[in-house]
Amino acid sequence: MIEQPIDYFLIAWFVLALLSTAYVAWDQFRNNPEPVVMRWGFILVTLYMGPFGLLLYVLADKEPRPGTHEEFTAPLWKQGIGSTIHCVAGDATGIILAAAVTAVLGLPMGIDLVIEYAAGFAFGLFIFQSLFMKEMMGGTYWENVRKTFLPEFISMNAMMAGMGPVMAFLMMGRDMRAMEPTELLFWGVMSLGVMAGFALAYPFNVWMVAKDLKHGLMTDRKPGTRFHQARPANPGAKDHRERHGGGAAAHGEQHAHHGAAQHGGGERRHGSDLPPARAPTGPQVAAMAGVTFLMLLTGLVTPAFSVNLGLSARDVGGVIMPPGMIMDFNTPGETMRDMAAIRPGLVSYEAPPTARGDQPLKPRIENGAKVFDLEASVIRWNILGGETVEAYAYNRQVPGPRLALTQGDRVRINFTNRLPESTTVHWHGLVVPNQMDGPAEITQAPVPPGGRYTYEFEVGQSGTYFYHTHDHADRQQALGLYGALVIAPRDPAAEPRADREYTILLQEWLKRRWLTYPAMLMEGGLPNFFTINGKAYPATDTIRMKVGETVKLRFIGSNNNFVHPMHVHGGPFEVVAIDGETLTESARYLADTVNVGPGQRFDVIWTARRPGKWLIHCHIPHHTTNNNVEEAGGGGLTMILDVEA
């Protein structure tokens, strides 16, 4: 499915690639007088390189007019394209097949690159060169293997030196869908890698064609075929090329005509048609082999300084990480999975824009216990106008439903995990049996996807608390797994009272390039949206009051990262409870700002002294914007107390 803007480009690219390939295939077999192996070479390369393969075919190989293929393909630069096409068709096919297989097998990227090189070299040497070219080269199969080994080695080294780094850097980059053969991005990286390999291999192939070490483009006009001609269409072409094209053109014509003359003939020795001064020497061939091998080693080793080649497709699972995240050669796969975006395809429910979080969850009574059913799942949640986030949610709302209890209650929570990863639930600040506390791998085994767990305990405290995940909480809590837990005291008179109550759960979100990432205090993870009860101003609630009324605001630091100095306009409030503990009257104090850190709770009572619209907001200005933009006078952690006379 489409998850990133590049997906649109990839769809368009592969449509063009298929259309280009279809045209090349049709034209090659219908109109172009060329050996079958070269026809398939251009078809495969066009499939891999799309419109660029078509461009190479039209400029270098497609017969412009009947009977002119020999003259048209004679220039050395075109012969070099033909040689590179032949190399890339065989080598890249082996590389791509190996990349797909190693990804499925879950092999590390470093081993993958080595296997890809071996597979590409073997496919190019043993299949495309020695087998498919056997009829044109003459001699036995193993003689051809021996003769083509060094040219293939040089060409393959150069191609993999270009292709390898492209694959390593892009597959191990931010969007690791590139490691999954089931994703378009994987094939897009392969296509770009083939183009890079072609560009790097081309000059070496030009040299080998010039030295008669490799075949270039060829013309096939065997008797009995529709392309057979009794004599060249332009008998003066050779004289014209010799007068105006120089040695390279003349050599190119010789090489082009060689394919027609020798097609089906006897053995031919590389370099045997060149004068001694131009024939390749052993030191020249050895130097070319050595240099391309050094290029290959550089191309394979260089990525290891920047990306973790020890990871496999299974280790990262096709994750997409936030823009700007810094990765290096020892970044673990678990880090990447932890910071990854929620894949939109995992969304099981899309909440309507009017949906609100922190809705009271009504329990049922079973054998004297209050029983709640809690389920975690992946949803799409509207935080502001047309702005949505993918979220991990309890009971399809962000924050999760409010659990209203009374001190002394026996509580049972039947929890079901519908997430794509394990999770748990922790009851923040409550004194509960250790096995009910929730930390994964410490007090309980994590609840796997599709699993269930029952939490049961007696409530011995009162005040403002909250519940949240305690399995990879830096990821899961940031994505929405939290909710309020409000416990009334046995004696109602023990609780400071107000005319109204409102619970404020804070959160930070990171939304970039259509995807939602867990906001974290690290490179690439800083939030750009902020919410109160799952909504960003101006979509936050408005509390309506009359002059003289009071409201108890329960601030809950359900966020992961920042200390939020929460400030109320219109006069000070009285701080009556901290972290669930009600303050004695002598310990209560007046303030207009409380610093709400992650995990902290403050109960404050504010009195409406004068009519008007009074703000509740974080006093860090950036946290009162939406993606750094103010809307209707604010944004993010902002809401209004609307007081009438």
Side-chain angles (χ1 to χ4, degrees), residues 420-476:
E421 58 194 82
S422 67
T423 188
T424 63
V425 185
H426 169 61
W427 317 98
H428 187 96
L430 292 189
V431 179
V432 298
N434 189 244
Q435 64 270 28
M436 297 291 112
D437 196 39
E441 307 287 359
I442 298 172
T443 64
Q444 70 168 93
V447 184
R452 293 175 172 83
Y453 194 87
T454 298
Y455 297 92
E456 189 166 355
F457 50 85
E458 186 173 313
V459 179
Q461 299 152 269
S462 64
T464 303
Y465 298 87
F466 73 111
Y467 62 94
H468 61 87
T469 176
H470 221 291
D471 184 4
H472 294 92
D474 59 338
R475 171 175 177 78
Q476 296 180 5

Side-chain angles (χ1 to χ4, degrees), residues 172-174 176 306 319-328 331-341 510 517 520 522-526:
M172 302 298 296
R174 189 182 69 83
M176 290 196 173
S306 302
V319 300
I320 305 174
M321 288 169 294
M325 175 181 171
I326 295 177
M327 297 177 293
D328 56 30
T331 301
E334 190 172 6
T335 296
M336 300 173 185
R337 294 194 303 273
D338 210 39
M339 293 193 69
L510 175 58
Y517 304 86
M520 298 182 185
M522 62 181 297
E523 299 89 351
L526 293 175

Side-chain angles (χ1 to χ4, degrees), residues 44 47-48 88-107 111-124 127-128 132 156 159-160 163 167 171 179-182 186-187 189-191 194:
L44 287 172
L47 181 64
Y48 303 150
V88 170
D91 298 348
T93 299
I95 291 171
I96 292 171
L97 291 175
V101 171
T102 54
V104 172
L105 294 176
L107 297 179
I111 295 176
D112 181 10
L113 291 172
V114 174
I115 293 176
E116 287 172 17
Y117 174 81
F121 184 70
F123 196 88
I127 305 298
F128 241 76
F132 291 170
M156 175 64 190
M159 196 193 77
M160 191 64 180
M163 194 170 180
M167 292 188 297
M171 284 183 165
M179 294 187 74
E180 298 286 348
T182 55
F186 173 91
W187 301 103
V189 169
M190 288 296 154
S191 183
V194 170

Side-chain angles (χ1 to χ4, degrees), residues 285-446:
V285 175
M288 293 292 278
V291 167
T292 55
F293 187 67
L294 287 176
M295 291 168 53
L296 170 68
L297 291 180
T298 302
L300 297 183
V301 171
T302 300
F305 296 109
S306 302
V307 299
N308 190 344
L309 296 182
L311 299 177
S312 71
R314 290 183 185 176
D315 292 325
V316 295
V319 300
I320 305 174
M321 288 169 294
M325 175 181 171
I326 295 177
M327 297 177 293
D328 56 30
F329 58 84
N330 62 354
T331 301
E334 190 172 6
T335 296
M336 300 173 185
R337 294 194 303 273
D338 210 39
M339 293 193 69
I342 296 178
R343 300 291 293 270
L346 297 174
V347 170
S348 61
Y349 172 76
E350 184 161 353
T354 55
R356 316 300 286 190
D358 190 42
Q359 299 302 298
L361 182 61
K362 186 176 180 180
R364 63 182 183 276
I365 306 299
E366 293 181 358
N367 298 322
K370 287 184 177 179
V371 180
F372 299 88
D373 294 322
L374 206 60
E375 179 180 275
S377 62
V378 184
I379 71 168
R380 183 167 290 113
W381 183 258
N382 184 281
I383 62 172
L384 171 72
E387 194 68 56
T388 62
V389 293
E390 283 77 47
Y392 287 179
Y394 291 122
N395 291 22
R396 295 180 171 182
Q397 58 185 278
V398 179
R402 187 190 316 163
L403 304 185
L405 306 173
T406 300
Q407 188 178 19
D409 282 345
R410 188 158 58 88
V411 179
R412 183 182 307 125
I413 298 98
N414 298 317
F415 173 66
T416 303
N417 180 18
R418 303 293 183 193
L419 300 175
E421 58 194 82
S422 67
T423 188
T424 63
V425 185
H426 169 61
W427 317 98
H428 187 96
L430 292 189
V431 179
V432 298
N434 189 244
Q435 64 270 28
M436 297 291 112
D437 196 39
E441 307 287 359
I442 298 172
T443 64
Q444 70 168 93

Side-chain angles (χ1 to χ4, degrees), residues 453-597:
Y453 194 87
T454 298
Y455 297 92
E456 189 166 355
F457 50 85
E458 186 173 313
V459 179
Q461 299 152 269
S462 64
T464 303
Y465 298 87
F466 73 111
Y467 62 94
H468 61 87
T469 176
H470 221 291
D471 184 4
H472 294 92
D474 59 338
R475 171 175 177 78
Q476 296 180 5
Q477 190 173 336
L479 291 173
L481 288 187
Y482 59 93
L485 191 60
V486 179
I487 306 172
R490 285 191 184 91
D491 179 8
E495 181 178 18
R497 309 296 296 179
D499 298 311
R500 303 174 187 275
E501 278 194 10
Y502 191 83
T503 303
I504 295 176
L505 293 102
L506 309 176
Q507 190 54 279
E508 304 129 359
W509 300 85
L510 175 58
K511 179 75 178 288
R512 294 287 188 198
R513 300 182 189 176
W514 304 347
L515 296 179
T516 305
Y517 304 86
M520 298 182 185
L521 278 176
M522 62 181 297
E523 299 89 351
L526 293 175
N528 59 340
F529 288 95
F530 305 86
T531 59
I532 292 175
N533 294 350
K535 301 292 180 179
Y537 181 84
T540 50
D541 291 336
T542 296
I543 301 175
R544 303 190 185 281
M545 303 175 63
K546 294 185 180 298
V547 171
E549 288 186 330
T550 58
V551 60
K552 179 187 283 188
L553 302 174
R554 299 179 185 264
F555 291 106
I556 300 179
S558 47
N559 55 297
N560 277 16
N561 300 291
F562 293 94
V563 174
H564 293 289
M566 298 303 296
H567 171 60
V568 183
H569 290 204
F573 48 69
E574 184 180 27
V575 179
V576 297
I578 298 176
D579 291 343
E581 298 294 330
T582 300
L583 301 177
T584 63
E585 289 194 21
S586 62
R588 298 172 190 175
Y589 61 95
L590 294 180
D592 61 29
T593 304
V594 286
N595 291 324
V596 184

